[in-house]
Amino acid sequence: MVKRKKEDRVGICTYCGAEGPVTEDHIPPKTLFPSGTSGLIAVDSCWGCNVGASKDDEFFVHMVSLSHDPAEFPGDPTLERVRRKVESGRPGLVLKTRRDQVRVVRIDPAEGGRDAHVVVSTEDDIKRMRRVLSRYARGIVFHETKRRLPLSARITVEKFMDVQTLSAERHKKGLGGFGRVFDLLNTLPERVIGRRVFTYRLAEDGGLGATFYFCFFDRIEFLVTIDGESATIGTKGPVDS
């Protein structure tokens, strides 16, 4: 059971818009970053939205942490926890995504002596990652613009694998109309948190629409588009793993 945090402030929840007691919600979660990382993003969240997303946050942190080269980010706290489990003779990691569901990620030694983190995503995993990233987009839009997205906003998530830089030519191959979007995003300032554990760029249209480039560990990349005027909410789009 998750212990309730102290609620000593009254405000408006960034996600649902409810007014009342609020807590700080870090996006992405601070557990993704090494201890002492500065410049983390935090927004006001009601208790229900904060604790209600905790298992999804835990799942997302593990998925992205287990998808990069540990030699490039040696301070990743998630990898350290996994490494301790491996060393203790438990070659697996249980991800508690909901009270009624768990999945296990296997950790197998790779040829040459390095740990290989084998993560196989199911369709439910993909939907969960979309949901998490949609929530992060809501929070960061408010952090950047002080505008709260309506619950009806349509959020679409696309994922691109194994592309090292936003400006790489291969980024434009097979993306159709997204090539022009990347060209635009590449001209905008890059926000960096935690020595490139998380970077993002934001293009907004002055209203409630926006496009994000999210990148975790300089490798795991997403394009998130927001239609803030839409009458329906959605988080569709291919998020392949």
Side-chain angles (χ1 to χ4, degrees), residues 111-131:
E111 185 177 353
R114 282 191 176 181
D115 292 336
H117 308 291
V118 181
V119 182
V120 179
S121 296
T122 67
E123 186 60 32
D124 285 343
D125 296 339
I126 292 168
K127 290 178 181 178
R128 188 169 297 113
M129 292 179 77
R130 291 173 183 158
R131 181 165 64 241

Side-chain angles (χ1 to χ4, degrees), residues 116-182:
H117 308 291
V118 181
V119 182
V120 179
S121 296
T122 67
E123 186 60 32
D124 285 343
D125 296 339
I126 292 168
K127 290 178 181 178
R128 188 169 297 113
M129 292 179 77
R130 291 173 183 158
R131 181 165 64 241
V132 171
L133 286 162
S134 297
R135 180 167 168 269
Y136 294 169
R138 284 182 175 275
I140 297 177
V141 164
F142 181 79
H143 171 76
E144 291 279 350
T145 70
K146 303 308 177 187
R147 294 195 297 270
R148 190 171 290 102
L149 289 174
L151 293 177
S152 61
R154 182 181 180 85
I155 304 176
T156 303
V157 179
E158 305 272 355
K159 184 179 180 184
F160 305 99
M161 292 294 293
D162 299 325
V163 183
Q164 299 302 316
T165 64
L166 182 61
S167 59
E169 281 302 316
R170 54 184 167 167
H171 228 145
K172 300 176 183 179
K173 294 180 180 178
L175 298 182
F178 288 119
R180 286 175 294 178
V181 175
F182 279 115

